[in-house]
Amino acid sequence: MQYRGWLLAGMLSFGMMPLAQSAEVGCPAPALSRMARHTVKSGESLESIASRYNLIPATLMGLNPNVRSGKATVGQQLMIPPYNGIRVEVPSGQSLKDLAARYRVRPDVLYEVNGCQRSPKVVFVPGVNWSPNEATAPTLVGVSSVLSGSPLSGSAPIALGFGWYLPNGATKPVFHSGIDLLASLGTPAQAIGEGTVAFAGNQGAYGNLVVINHQQGYQTRYAQLARINVKVGQKIKRGTTIGTVGQTGTPTTSQPHLHFEVRSNSKLGWVAEDPIAFIRK
């Protein structure tokens, strides 16, 4: 799906770091290779810069030691991650599974976020709030109590991740506003949080679509469904089956998959966020 919102103006103007050489073909690029660079301008603050990229200030402080005082100085170069999280050096003798347990992130999500690297030395852990006190237990960014789990049970490889990509034969990049999770036709799709069904029906390129509004101004979308099991206005709980995987609408790949989005309500409308940061145990 394409999302042509406020992100378009800023993201293409910043250079991207080279992709990690150890990432497997077909996996999303490692999050740490997708950092944007931002030069602090007059009148900007750490809070305003974080807001521009839909991040929290703690994320920028964690990745940029030069602003850990809480202040950004004109001319400073800041690294901007694709979503909230922290950079972690993998301790000797530990695996991604060990880190996933420590930070309460699904191991397969941590693996995908870091480009399917087998033995990375440094990783990005999504959705965790940086703290200046390393002894403090890691805390999740505040949405964890609202959205958690996965819209598909078991392992679901990502066919297409969130962000800009260049379709085959195209000359201009388009923005993919969610993630496409591969699954067999008829696989149950489930809500990742309590909420109210705001839409349930066919919606053009989305095909059969279910939209759920959640607390704290969050919304999830489940598209390309074969069947819809809920109706507008229905109150549902986390884990409720809302439909089944299909190939309706205009999917980005010929393989059966669930197109899944997370959006947050803002003055600019429902802004798309990377769902990877919300998929947890």
Side-chain angles (χ1 to χ4, degrees):
M1 308 302 300
Q2 298 180 20
Y3 174 71
R4 301 181 181 276
W6 62 280
L7 292 170
L8 178 59
M11 293 187 67
L12 289 180
S13 60
F14 297 102
M16 296 298 176
M17 298 171 65
L19 301 185
Q21 294 181 354
S22 57
E24 293 182 2
V25 176
C27 286
L32 290 174
S33 75
R34 292 188 278 131
M35 296 280 192
R37 298 179 178 87
H38 180 91
T39 302
V40 180
K41 300 177 179 62
S42 177
E44 289 186 321
S45 65
L46 199 61
E47 290 74 15
S48 68
I49 296 170
S51 178
R52 172 179 177 177
Y53 294 97
N54 208 26
L55 301 172
I56 60 174
T59 295
L60 298 184
M61 293 168 70
L63 288 167
N64 300 276
N66 57 347
V67 295
R68 288 183 181 172
S69 65
K71 296 182 180 180
T73 304
V74 173
Q76 282 182 315
Q77 292 279 328
L78 301 182
M79 300 306 297
I80 310 294
Y83 34 80
N84 286 306
I86 58 175
R87 177 185 180 275
V88 176
E89 293 186 9
V90 182
S92 177
Q94 290 196 14
S95 65
L96 284 183
K97 186 176 180 180
D98 297 322
L99 285 182
R102 169 173 167 75
Y103 292 103
R104 291 185 289 158
V105 178
R106 286 169 49 121
D108 58 327
V109 168
L110 193 60
Y111 181 67
E112 294 265 8
V113 164
N114 290 284
C116 304
Q117 299 177 78
R118 292 183 175 85
S119 301
K121 295 182 179 180
V122 180
V123 298
F124 188 83
V125 183
V128 176
N129 195 351
W130 176 82
S131 169
N133 182 2
E134 293 184 359
T136 301
T139 58
L140 304 177
V141 175
V143 301
S144 61
S145 62
V146 176
L147 303 177
S148 61
S150 172
L152 297 174
S153 60
S155 178
I158 298 177
L160 182 62
F162 175 89
W164 296 99
Y165 76 104
L166 192 67
N168 291 334
T171 58
K172 294 183 178 180
V174 296
F175 193 79
H176 191 239
S177 54
I179 56 176
D180 291 345
L181 299 169
L182 295 178
S184 300
L185 289 173
T187 300
Q190 56 194 23
I192 70 165
E194 293 186 2
T196 303
V197 178
F199 182 87
N202 190 276
Q203 186 68 20
Y206 277 108
N208 289 331
L209 168 71
V210 171
V211 178
I212 302 173
N213 288 343
H214 306 274
Q215 293 181 357
Q216 298 183 8
Y218 283 94
Q219 181 184 86
T220 52
R221 302 183 179 187
Y222 312 76
Q224 264 96 56
L225 298 171
R227 189 178 68 215
I228 294 175
N229 291 13
V230 294
K231 58 184 179 181
V232 173
Q234 182 176 339
K235 305 287 185 181
I236 60 172
K237 295 184 178 181
R238 175 175 174 263
T240 299
T241 297
I242 53 88
T244 59
V245 172
Q247 289 179 298
T248 58
T250 309
T252 54
T253 175
S254 60
Q255 297 175 280
H257 66 272
L258 173 71
H259 175 82
F260 175 63
E261 296 184 10
V262 174
R263 295 188 178 235
S264 58
N265 199 2
S266 72
K267 295 179 181 178
L268 299 170
W270 290 103
V271 176
E273 300 192 24
D274 194 329
I276 286 294
F278 297 82
I279 297 178
R280 307 191 174 281
K281 291 182 179 180

